[in-house]
Amino acid sequence: MAVSPPPRSPLAGGSLIALGSIAGAAISLFTPLGPTRGFLIGLSAGVAMSLAIWLLDRRH
């Protein structure tokens, strides 16, 4: 009987999206960008990092 390897838990990147959005908006309050642009920049960065984690996790 063949022994199958234990199932792997996938890595989660959703927290990076939330953290990026909140941090972008909070940091941009003190810059001339404005909170909306900061939110969108943080959201984009969070999505990019989450996508990178997903791609790296999928490879293994």
Side-chain angles (χ1 to χ4, degrees):
M1 182 172 194
V3 177
S4 63
R8 260 186 2 101
S9 297
L11 297 176
S15 61
L16 293 175
I17 297 172
L19 239 49
S21 302
I22 293 169
I27 290 171
S28 67
L29 286 173
F30 305 106
T31 64
L33 286 177
T36 303
R37 283 190 186 163
F39 171 78
L40 292 174
I41 291 169
L43 179 66
S44 300
V47 167
M49 289 186 287
S50 181
L51 184 63
I53 286 177
W54 176 70
L55 288 171
L56 288 172
D57 186 44
R58 187 174 165 186
R59 187 183 308 171
H60 291 94

